[in-house]
Amino acid sequence: MASNEFQPLQGMSDIQAPEIHVWRMMEERARALFNSYGFEELRTPVLEKLSVFQRSLGDTTDVVKKEMYSFKPSKHELAMRPEGTAGTIRHLAGRGEEGLNARVFYIAPMFRYERPQAGRKRQFHQVGVEATGEPNPLADAECIALQKGLLDSWGLTGSKIQLSTRGEPSDRQPVVDGLRAALQPFENALCEDCQRRIDENVLRVIDCKNESCKKIVDQIPSAIEFMSDASRAYLDQVVGALDKMGIEVTVNPKLIRGLDYYVHTVWEISHSALGAQDALAGGGRYEIALGKKAVPGVGFAVGFERAIMALEACGVTADQFAPKGGVWLVSLGEAALAENMKLAAQLRAKGIRCGMELAAKSMKAQMRKANRVGADSVIIRGDDEIEKGVAMVKDMAEGSQKESTIEEILRDA
Ligand code: AMP
């Protein structure tokens, strides 16, 4: 049998204790924060019709062209979601007027068939929000403030926000034409991918990682320079609103973000602890056309796996959130074992973390276990204690021991 018989698929992970405790902390704090901003949770299916992603993300994007887990079990081609926005908007578009002015969040696994490496997985997890509504610079600024608040709530410091604009939909053609014309003289010096991108998706040339392409991009006007005054004013208003809230951002006209659905504000948050894959989170304003309907909105997504890597660099680790304390019940004899089962259920009903051995073990072995689980106190009972309705209660920190009745134990618990 293969040696990886017990391993998950490449690029995917089992998430277990103690690491799971930092995930839970992040999820709990995210839910509390979103609640304070009036966002409701939405859980959409992992599988959607492939067309949901093709129509909203765009046919020429890497995610749609190369990275989707798709298959055709019957009439429709289906895909596992590679991101959260398309499915969320598919749902909101079906909710009529109310869906056009909604605030929702999701915490969910995403799937992309990418080459796995540090910080890049095939199943990864995102927490994200979508706020639908007509373009409004204040809504974009609020979305960024919420995202920053989320990172702060986790204890994640040192991240950097870069911001740019894709402009109004009517800017798209002038930007494409302007960039194509500016790149034409350099065409032969561009990498092979970019020579194709000039015709196919010229914006992607702007964020190409190839050094010679970068040098050429530095010499031509930025996309923003081909946009309307209204688009530039919109960007200024977003930056102004963020400044008022004390949120530091850098405007970087070379920031593109790959997906077709973006209009106006786009942003990315990076962290130096992440190495080559330094994008911690992204976001932007979009207009997603589904059938006859175009849904405008703004949203962001933060990757859990990368946020956890950055948190480790900030000294926030899973151990800090592992459950601790509680009570360990020690049973000496059959009668005590049965009575302790009852007492454990009573303590647990009060929300107390409580454990015991379910088979006869020596006193020493049971005390060792109490230490290992980090119990605050140990309750010890044998035949004598059962007969008298009492127990020995040991305080593990102080090492002191006293006799209490079961009524007292339950009352004080
Ligand atoms: P994107 O939808 O590509 O902008 O991704 C948003 C965030 O999700 C990124 O900033 C990452 O934190 C995370 N992310 C995207 N792709 C992956 C991946 N393959 N593995 C791990 N995290 C990812």
Side-chain angles (χ1 to χ4, degrees):
M1 244 178 257
S3 62
N4 62 359
E5 183 189 3
F6 304 115
Q7 296 298 317
L9 294 171
Q10 205 194 358
M12 304 194 178
S13 299
D14 301 317
I15 307 158
Q16 58 171 359
E19 195 199 348
I20 194 75
H21 300 304
V22 82
W23 287 72
R24 288 179 44 171
M25 174 280 284
M26 292 164 74
E27 289 166 7
E28 280 159 21
R29 292 185 188 173
R31 288 196 165 88
L33 182 69
F34 294 149
N35 178 49
S36 75
Y37 273 75
F39 282 67
E40 295 281 4
E41 182 162 4
L42 176 69
R43 300 186 190 187
T44 62
V46 168
L47 280 179
E48 297 273 357
K49 282 187 197 156
L50 178 66
S51 58
V52 168
F53 304 111
Q54 283 172 329
R55 280 187 301 184
S56 46
L57 310 187
D59 276 341
T60 62
T61 53
D62 281 353
V63 170
V64 168
K65 260 177 43 184
K66 302 188 223 156
E67 298 169 3
M68 301 264 271
Y69 281 92
S70 58
F71 59 105
K72 197 172 176 193
S74 57
K75 198 167 123 217
H76 295 292
E77 193 148 12
L78 309 180
M80 291 168 81
R81 63 170 167 236
E83 56 94 66
T85 304
T88 301
I89 298 303
R90 190 261 315 137
H91 164 86
L92 292 176
R95 261 168 50 181
E97 270 310 300
E98 181 238 350
L100 297 178
N101 222 326
R103 289 154 90 84
V104 296
F105 75 89
Y106 58 83
I107 299 177
M110 305 294 160
F111 303 85
R112 292 184 196 171
Y113 193 74
E114 294 187 87
R115 197 167 45 79
Q117 61 184 80
R120 201 202 273 156
K121 307 201 59 97
R122 289 178 170 171
Q123 177 176 336
F124 59 99
H125 300 75
Q126 288 183 339
V127 47
V129 307
E130 311 295 347
T132 49
E134 289 302 324
N136 174 353
L138 292 186
D140 302 7
E142 188 192 48
C143 192
I144 294 172
L146 169 56
Q147 192 175 19
K148 175 76 171 48
L150 180 64
L151 303 184
D152 289 346
S153 79
W154 293 339
L156 204 163
T157 53
S159 60
K160 296 211 162 32
I161 307 175
Q162 294 198 34
L163 190 80
S164 188
T165 179
R166 294 279 293 262
E168 296 177 324
S170 59
D171 287 333
R172 202 156 281 182
Q173 204 53 50
V175 166
V176 168
D177 294 344
L179 290 177
R180 273 191 192 139
L183 286 167
Q184 220 65 57
F186 304 100
E187 188 172 355
N188 294 334
L190 291 168
C191 75
E192 234 172 78
D193 280 342
C194 282
Q195 294 191 14
R196 189 169 35 79
R197 285 173 184 149
I198 287 197
D199 292 325
E200 221 174 59
N201 192 347
V202 69
L203 282 174
R204 296 295 316 280
V205 178
I206 308 304
D207 67 358
C208 180
K209 302 282 175 279
N210 186 303
E211 283 308 321
S212 54
C213 296
K214 278 194 204 167
K215 277 200 194 105
I216 293 168
V217 168
D218 280 341
Q219 296 173 50
I220 64 165
S222 79
I224 297 181
E225 288 172 58
F226 300 109
M227 289 177 194
S228 64
D229 289 346
S231 292
R232 279 201 287 264
Y234 189 105
L235 175 65
D236 288 345
Q237 286 173 50
V238 176
V239 174
L242 288 167
D243 189 46
K244 274 234 158 61
M245 285 189 281
I247 296 173
E248 235 179 85
V249 296
T250 307
V251 174
N252 174 6
K254 281 193 222 147
L255 177 76
I256 296 300
R257 302 218 12 96
L259 309 180
D260 277 2
Y261 56 44
Y262 288 117
V263 295
H264 286 300
T265 324
V266 286
W267 67 90
E268 209 153 83
I269 306 187
S270 59
H271 198 282
S272 57
L274 297 180
Q277 303 294 323
D278 72 346
L280 176 67
R285 170 161 290 283
Y286 49 78
E287 194 169 302
I288 296 182
L290 285 177
K292 288 195 194 94
K293 216 163 186 171
V295 181
V298 63
F300 70 68
V302 181
F304 266 85
E305 285 82 357
R306 291 196 200 162
I308 290 168
M309 286 164 74
L311 280 171
E312 275 166 14
C314 298
V316 178
T317 57
D319 287 337
Q320 296 162 21
F321 305 99
K324 287 185 198 73
V327 179
W328 192 259
L329 304 186
V330 170
S331 322
L332 304 170
E334 292 283 315
L337 200 51
E339 286 295 328
N340 275 348
M341 285 287 282
K342 182 174 160 198
L343 180 57
Q346 289 169 313
L347 290 168
R348 287 166 179 160
K350 284 172 169 273
I352 293 167
R353 184 168 184 258
C354 179
M356 59 181 281
E357 288 290 358
L358 298 179
K361 292 265 165 71
S362 72
M363 171 87 170
K364 203 169 147 196
Q366 293 184 68
M367 289 305 290
R368 213 181 301 128
K369 188 73 181 274
N371 268 316
R372 200 177 322 137
V373 302
D376 291 327
S377 60
V378 175
I379 295 174
I380 306 163
R381 292 203 283 182
D383 291 344
D384 280 359
E385 285 79 12
I386 298 295
E387 212 161 281
K388 287 198 270 174
V390 298
M392 292 306 295
V393 181
K394 181 168 181 174
D395 183 310
M396 295 297 274
E398 291 178 8
S400 59
Q401 200 164 298
K402 70 167 192 221
E403 192 178 273
S404 296
T405 65
I406 299 306
E407 288 74 34
E408 284 168 341
I409 289 173
L410 285 169
R411 191 194 60 210
D412 300 340

Short mmCIF file of all heavy atoms in Angstrom, two decimals, residues 82-83 112 114 119-122 124-126 257 259 262 268-269 279-282 301-307, ligand 1:
data_model
loop_
_atom_site.label_atom_id
_atom_site.label_comp_id
_atom_site.label_asym_id
_atom_site.label_seq_id
_atom_site.Cartn_x
_atom_site.Cartn_y
_atom_site.Cartn_z
N PRO A 82 -14.01 28.42 -6.23
CA PRO A 82 -12.62 28.85 -6.03
C PRO A 82 -12.55 30.12 -5.21
O PRO A 82 -11.46 30.55 -4.81
CB PRO A 82 -12.14 29.12 -7.45
CG PRO A 82 -13.38 29.54 -8.19
CD PRO A 82 -14.54 28.87 -7.53
N GLU A 83 -13.71 30.75 -4.96
CA GLU A 83 -13.77 31.99 -4.17
C GLU A 83 -15.21 32.18 -3.74
O GLU A 83 -16.11 31.45 -4.20
CB GLU A 83 -13.23 33.18 -4.98
CG GLU A 83 -13.92 33.42 -6.30
CD GLU A 83 -15.05 34.41 -6.21
OE1 GLU A 83 -14.77 35.58 -5.96
OE2 GLU A 83 -16.22 34.01 -6.41
N ARG A 112 -8.79 25.51 -5.37
CA ARG A 112 -8.14 25.92 -6.62
C ARG A 112 -7.06 24.90 -6.95
O ARG A 112 -6.24 24.57 -6.08
CB ARG A 112 -7.49 27.31 -6.49
CG ARG A 112 -8.51 28.42 -6.34
CD ARG A 112 -7.86 29.79 -6.30
NE ARG A 112 -8.82 30.77 -5.78
CZ ARG A 112 -8.53 32.03 -5.47
NH1 ARG A 112 -7.30 32.48 -5.65
NH2 ARG A 112 -9.45 32.84 -5.00
N GLU A 114 -4.05 24.64 -7.99
CA GLU A 114 -2.80 25.37 -8.23
C GLU A 114 -1.63 24.47 -7.84
O GLU A 114 -1.82 23.48 -7.14
CB GLU A 114 -2.74 26.63 -7.34
CG GLU A 114 -3.79 27.66 -7.69
CD GLU A 114 -3.58 28.95 -6.89
OE1 GLU A 114 -2.81 29.79 -7.35
OE2 GLU A 114 -4.18 29.09 -5.82
N GLY A 119 2.16 28.52 1.62
CA GLY A 119 1.15 29.57 1.54
C GLY A 119 0.21 29.44 0.35
O GLY A 119 -0.62 30.30 0.13
N ARG A 120 0.38 28.37 -0.44
CA ARG A 120 -0.55 28.17 -1.55
C ARG A 120 -1.09 26.75 -1.52
O ARG A 120 -0.33 25.79 -1.67
CB ARG A 120 0.13 28.45 -2.89
CG ARG A 120 -0.93 28.76 -3.95
CD ARG A 120 -0.44 28.53 -5.32
NE ARG A 120 0.24 29.68 -5.87
CZ ARG A 120 1.14 29.59 -6.85
NH1 ARG A 120 1.49 28.41 -7.30
NH2 ARG A 120 1.69 30.67 -7.33
N LYS A 121 -2.36 26.62 -1.27
CA LYS A 121 -2.95 25.30 -1.10
C LYS A 121 -4.05 25.07 -2.12
O LYS A 121 -4.50 26.02 -2.79
CB LYS A 121 -3.53 25.18 0.32
CG LYS A 121 -2.52 25.53 1.40
CD LYS A 121 -2.87 24.96 2.73
CE LYS A 121 -2.99 23.49 2.74
NZ LYS A 121 -1.81 22.79 3.20
N ARG A 122 -4.47 23.81 -2.25
CA ARG A 122 -5.56 23.52 -3.18
C ARG A 122 -6.92 23.60 -2.48
O ARG A 122 -7.92 23.89 -3.10
CB ARG A 122 -5.34 22.16 -3.82
CG ARG A 122 -4.18 22.21 -4.78
CD ARG A 122 -3.90 20.87 -5.41
NE ARG A 122 -2.94 21.02 -6.49
CZ ARG A 122 -2.36 20.02 -7.11
NH1 ARG A 122 -2.66 18.77 -6.77
NH2 ARG A 122 -1.51 20.24 -8.08
N PHE A 124 -8.16 25.81 0.62
CA PHE A 124 -7.80 26.80 1.62
C PHE A 124 -9.09 27.42 2.11
O PHE A 124 -10.18 27.08 1.64
CB PHE A 124 -6.84 27.85 1.04
CG PHE A 124 -7.37 28.59 -0.15
CD1 PHE A 124 -7.93 29.85 -0.01
CD2 PHE A 124 -7.34 28.02 -1.41
CE1 PHE A 124 -8.43 30.54 -1.10
CE2 PHE A 124 -7.85 28.69 -2.51
CZ PHE A 124 -8.40 29.95 -2.36
N HIS A 125 -8.98 28.29 3.08
CA HIS A 125 -10.19 28.78 3.73
C HIS A 125 -10.20 30.30 3.76
O HIS A 125 -9.15 30.92 4.00
CB HIS A 125 -10.28 28.22 5.15
CG HIS A 125 -10.34 26.72 5.16
ND1 HIS A 125 -9.22 25.95 4.91
CD2 HIS A 125 -11.37 25.87 5.32
CE1 HIS A 125 -9.57 24.68 4.93
NE2 HIS A 125 -10.87 24.60 5.18
N GLN A 126 -11.35 30.85 3.52
CA GLN A 126 -11.46 32.31 3.52
C GLN A 126 -12.58 32.76 4.43
O GLN A 126 -13.62 32.10 4.54
CB GLN A 126 -11.77 32.83 2.11
CG GLN A 126 -10.61 32.73 1.14
CD GLN A 126 -10.95 33.34 -0.21
OE1 GLN A 126 -12.12 33.48 -0.56
NE2 GLN A 126 -9.94 33.68 -0.98
N ARG A 257 -5.41 43.22 -9.43
CA ARG A 257 -6.32 42.14 -9.01
C ARG A 257 -6.94 41.51 -10.25
O ARG A 257 -7.56 42.18 -11.05
CB ARG A 257 -7.38 42.60 -8.02
CG ARG A 257 -6.72 43.18 -6.82
CD ARG A 257 -7.26 42.96 -5.45
NE ARG A 257 -8.27 42.01 -5.14
CZ ARG A 257 -8.03 40.78 -4.68
NH1 ARG A 257 -6.79 40.36 -4.51
NH2 ARG A 257 -9.01 39.99 -4.35
N LEU A 259 -9.42 39.57 -11.32
CA LEU A 259 -10.75 39.19 -11.77
C LEU A 259 -11.45 40.30 -12.55
O LEU A 259 -11.25 41.49 -12.29
CB LEU A 259 -11.60 38.77 -10.57
CG LEU A 259 -10.91 37.73 -9.68
CD1 LEU A 259 -11.77 37.35 -8.50
CD2 LEU A 259 -10.51 36.50 -10.47
N TYR A 262 -14.27 43.52 -11.17
CA TYR A 262 -13.98 44.71 -10.37
C TYR A 262 -14.26 46.02 -11.10
O TYR A 262 -14.00 46.15 -12.30
CB TYR A 262 -12.52 44.71 -9.92
CG TYR A 262 -12.23 43.68 -8.86
CD1 TYR A 262 -11.33 42.65 -9.08
CD2 TYR A 262 -12.87 43.74 -7.62
CE1 TYR A 262 -11.07 41.69 -8.11
CE2 TYR A 262 -12.61 42.78 -6.64
CZ TYR A 262 -11.71 41.77 -6.89
OH TYR A 262 -11.48 40.84 -5.93
N GLU A 268 -5.33 45.25 -1.73
CA GLU A 268 -4.69 44.01 -1.31
C GLU A 268 -3.96 44.30 0.00
O GLU A 268 -3.39 45.38 0.17
CB GLU A 268 -3.70 43.55 -2.39
CG GLU A 268 -3.54 42.06 -2.41
CD GLU A 268 -3.14 41.54 -3.79
OE1 GLU A 268 -1.94 41.59 -4.08
OE2 GLU A 268 -4.01 41.11 -4.55
N ILE A 269 -3.96 43.35 0.90
CA ILE A 269 -3.24 43.49 2.16
C ILE A 269 -2.13 42.46 2.18
O ILE A 269 -2.38 41.27 1.93
CB ILE A 269 -4.18 43.31 3.37
CG1 ILE A 269 -5.38 44.27 3.24
CG2 ILE A 269 -3.44 43.54 4.68
CD1 ILE A 269 -6.29 44.32 4.44
N ALA A 279 0.44 37.96 -0.21
CA ALA A 279 -0.93 38.51 -0.15
C ALA A 279 -1.71 37.81 0.95
O ALA A 279 -1.91 36.60 0.93
CB ALA A 279 -1.62 38.34 -1.48
N LEU A 280 -2.09 38.61 1.92
CA LEU A 280 -2.82 38.08 3.07
C LEU A 280 -4.32 38.14 2.79
O LEU A 280 -5.08 37.29 3.24
CB LEU A 280 -2.48 39.00 4.26
CG LEU A 280 -3.13 38.80 5.58
CD1 LEU A 280 -2.67 37.48 6.16
CD2 LEU A 280 -2.74 39.94 6.51
N ALA A 281 -4.71 39.14 2.05
CA ALA A 281 -6.13 39.38 1.85
C ALA A 281 -6.32 40.32 0.67
O ALA A 281 -5.41 41.06 0.31
CB ALA A 281 -6.72 40.02 3.10
N GLY A 282 -7.53 40.28 0.12
CA GLY A 282 -7.82 41.19 -0.99
C GLY A 282 -9.24 41.67 -0.89
O GLY A 282 -10.02 41.19 -0.06
N ALA A 301 -11.89 39.30 1.06
CA ALA A 301 -11.64 37.94 1.56
C ALA A 301 -10.27 37.90 2.20
O ALA A 301 -9.31 38.49 1.69
CB ALA A 301 -11.72 36.94 0.42
N VAL A 302 -10.20 37.23 3.33
CA VAL A 302 -8.92 37.01 4.01
C VAL A 302 -8.66 35.51 4.04
O VAL A 302 -9.56 34.74 4.36
CB VAL A 302 -8.96 37.53 5.48
CG1 VAL A 302 -7.61 37.33 6.16
CG2 VAL A 302 -9.40 38.98 5.54
N GLY A 303 -7.46 35.10 3.68
CA GLY A 303 -7.12 33.68 3.71
C GLY A 303 -6.69 33.27 5.12
O GLY A 303 -5.78 33.86 5.69
N PHE A 304 -7.36 32.24 5.65
CA PHE A 304 -7.04 31.78 7.01
C PHE A 304 -5.61 31.28 7.13
O PHE A 304 -4.89 31.61 8.07
CB PHE A 304 -7.97 30.63 7.41
CG PHE A 304 -9.18 31.08 8.15
CD1 PHE A 304 -10.31 31.52 7.47
CD2 PHE A 304 -9.21 31.08 9.54
CE1 PHE A 304 -11.42 31.94 8.15
CE2 PHE A 304 -10.33 31.50 10.23
CZ PHE A 304 -11.44 31.93 9.53
N GLU A 305 -5.21 30.42 6.17
CA GLU A 305 -3.89 29.79 6.30
C GLU A 305 -2.80 30.84 6.34
O GLU A 305 -1.86 30.75 7.15
CB GLU A 305 -3.66 28.82 5.14
CG GLU A 305 -4.44 27.51 5.23
CD GLU A 305 -5.89 27.60 4.75
OE1 GLU A 305 -6.33 28.72 4.39
OE2 GLU A 305 -6.57 26.58 4.74
N ARG A 306 -2.91 31.84 5.46
CA ARG A 306 -1.87 32.88 5.44
C ARG A 306 -1.98 33.78 6.67
O ARG A 306 -0.96 34.22 7.22
CB ARG A 306 -1.97 33.71 4.16
CG ARG A 306 -1.58 32.85 2.98
CD ARG A 306 -1.29 33.65 1.77
NE ARG A 306 -1.39 32.79 0.59
CZ ARG A 306 -1.53 33.22 -0.64
NH1 ARG A 306 -1.59 34.52 -0.89
NH2 ARG A 306 -1.61 32.37 -1.64
N ALA A 307 -3.19 34.05 7.11
CA ALA A 307 -3.35 34.88 8.32
C ALA A 307 -2.70 34.17 9.52
O ALA A 307 -2.06 34.81 10.35
CB ALA A 307 -4.83 35.15 8.59
P1 AMP B 1 -7.96 36.04 -3.92
O1 AMP B 1 -9.40 35.62 -4.05
O2 AMP B 1 -7.06 35.31 -4.87
O3 AMP B 1 -7.74 37.51 -3.89
O4 AMP B 1 -7.50 35.52 -2.50
C1 AMP B 1 -7.83 36.17 -1.32
C2 AMP B 1 -6.95 35.62 -0.23
O5 AMP B 1 -7.16 34.21 -0.12
C3 AMP B 1 -5.46 35.75 -0.53
O6 AMP B 1 -5.00 36.99 -0.14
C4 AMP B 1 -4.89 34.63 0.30
O7 AMP B 1 -4.79 34.98 1.66
C5 AMP B 1 -5.94 33.56 0.18
N1 AMP B 1 -5.61 32.59 -0.90
C6 AMP B 1 -5.86 32.69 -2.22
N2 AMP B 1 -5.42 31.61 -2.88
C7 AMP B 1 -4.87 30.79 -1.96
C8 AMP B 1 -4.26 29.50 -1.99
N3 AMP B 1 -4.13 28.80 -3.12
N4 AMP B 1 -3.80 28.99 -0.83
C9 AMP B 1 -3.93 29.65 0.34
N5 AMP B 1 -4.51 30.86 0.44
C10 AMP B 1 -4.97 31.43 -0.68
#
